Amino acid sequence: MSPQARRWADLRRQIIFRAKRLNVGHLIEADQRYGQRDALGPHGVMLFLVSDAPTEPHGYRLHTAYRLWLASPEADDLPRLLSDLADIAAENVARCTAAGRRWHPIGPERSMVNGGDMSPPAGAVYVGVGVTTLDTDHGRWQQVARTLRDVPVGGRRLSAFDLKGQCYTLLTDGTALHIDRDPHARLGVDGIRCTKTLDPDRVTHYNPHHDLTEQGDHDTREVWRKLGLLHNVLTAHLLPGRQP
C-alpha cells in the first residue's frame, strides 16, 4: 500500500481516538452543567485539520477544533443545527469574498468554533468535519441525563461514565466514519464503522459499511445528509477544485 494510503489509514485511527475523547469530554461537561443556566446542548461539531510535521511517523499532526452549544430547543435538533451551520458557512464565504478577504471556519472572523485547537499552524489543511452527540439508542440526552439523578431502588446509581455517545465524521478522501462509544461494550466490540480501511495491511474483500451514509433509520440518514452539506461547503471553499 502506498505511503499516502497508509497516512490516511493512520489519520482515520487518530480521528477516532480524538473524536471519542472529545465525546467523553462533551458528556462530562454536559453532566456537570445539567440543569444550570449554562447547560450544554447534546450536540457539537468537530473540525479536523492537519499540518506538516516531519518528525511524526507519517509526517503530519492532527488538529481538532470544536463547537458546542448551550442547551435550547434549537440546539436539540441536530439535522437543523447542521443545515443552519452550512448556510452560515456559505454566507460567511460569500461575505468575506465580496469584501476581498478569505474566511476560515476557525477564525479569526466569524469563527465556527469555540474550543479545541483554535490556533492551528499557518498552512494547516482541512481534512474533515464531524459531530459529537449525546443522543444514542439509549435515549435522548435530556432523558438519559435525568436517570443519573434518579435514586435507584436497590440498584447501583449510574454515573456519566456509564453513558454512551456517538460521533459521525466525513473526511475529504471520501471516508464516512461512525463511532458508537459504549463503555459497557463486550470485549472486542469497538463500535466503529468506516467506509474505508483502518488497517492498511489487512486484505478485505468486502466491507459491510461501504454505504454507511445510506444505512440506518431516517433520522440517522438525515444527520449524514446535513453533515454532508456542511462538509461540501467547507471542502469547496478550503480545497477549491476538490470534490468531497
Side-chain angles (χ1 to χ4, degrees):
M1 186 170 283
S2 70
Q4 182 74 357
R6 289 184 178 278
R7 173 175 164 140
W8 272 105
D10 182 75
L11 178 59
R12 292 177 203 118
R13 293 193 299 270
Q14 285 212 35
I15 285 175
I16 288 169
F17 174 79
R18 195 72 61 88
K20 280 185 174 181
R21 188 173 68 179
L22 202 154
N23 184 259
V24 171
H26 179 191
L27 171 63
I28 293 171
E29 188 71 14
D31 177 53
Q32 292 174 345
R33 290 160 61 170
Y34 179 80
Q36 301 178 19
R37 293 181 63 182
D38 63 345
L40 282 179
H43 314 301
V45 167
M46 306 175 284
L47 295 181
F48 302 104
L49 301 95
V50 297
S51 62
D52 290 336
T55 60
E56 296 293 330
H58 292 275
Y60 76 92
R61 182 171 291 115
L62 176 64
H63 307 274
T64 308
Y66 62 84
R67 177 169 180 171
L68 299 177
W69 282 265
L70 294 178
S72 70
E74 294 78 14
D76 282 347
D77 187 339
L78 180 54
R80 177 181 172 182
L81 208 60
L82 293 171
S83 181
D84 288 348
L85 204 56
D87 289 343
I88 291 170
E91 180 182 326
N92 288 340
V93 170
R95 182 173 299 182
C96 288
T97 300
R101 301 188 302 274
R102 182 165 176 79
W103 177 75
H104 196 283
I106 293 185
E109 184 178 357
R110 299 179 182 274
S111 174
M112 273 179 48
V113 296
N114 55 18
D117 296 327
M118 301 286 285
S119 301
V125 177
Y126 170 76
V127 292
V129 63
V131 163
T132 167
T133 178
L134 306 182
D135 288 352
T136 70
D137 56 358
H138 285 180
R140 303 292 295 270
W141 163 245
Q142 292 296 335
Q143 299 168 323
V144 175
R146 281 194 292 270
T147 67
L148 300 182
R149 282 126 186 106
D150 293 339
V151 179
V153 179
R156 183 178 69 89
R157 187 165 191 162
L158 296 176
S159 77
F161 295 101
D162 291 302
L163 302 185
K164 297 177 65 175
Q166 293 187 87
C167 299
Y168 300 76
T169 299
L170 294 174
L171 305 183
T172 54
D173 73 329
T175 296
L177 172 65
H178 180 263
I179 302 168
D180 181 17
R181 186 189 57 75
D182 184 357
H184 298 295
R186 299 191 311 275
L187 186 65
V189 177
D190 60 15
I192 296 167
R193 294 182 294 157
C194 188
T195 57
K196 297 196 176 186
T197 186
L198 301 174
D199 183 355
D201 295 317
R202 181 179 179 182
V203 178
T204 304
H205 299 288
Y206 172 69
N207 181 357
H209 311 307
H210 72 281
D211 58 348
L212 179 61
T213 59
E214 300 301 322
Q215 297 176 3
D217 58 19
H218 170 78
D219 291 343
T220 299
R221 295 194 303 273
E222 193 68 0
V223 170
W224 283 120
R225 191 173 76 84
K226 299 298 187 181
L227 182 61
L229 293 178
L230 176 59
H231 184 48
N232 290 346
V233 171
L234 295 176
T235 301
H237 174 59
L238 299 172
L239 302 172
R242 181 170 182 174
Q243 294 298 317

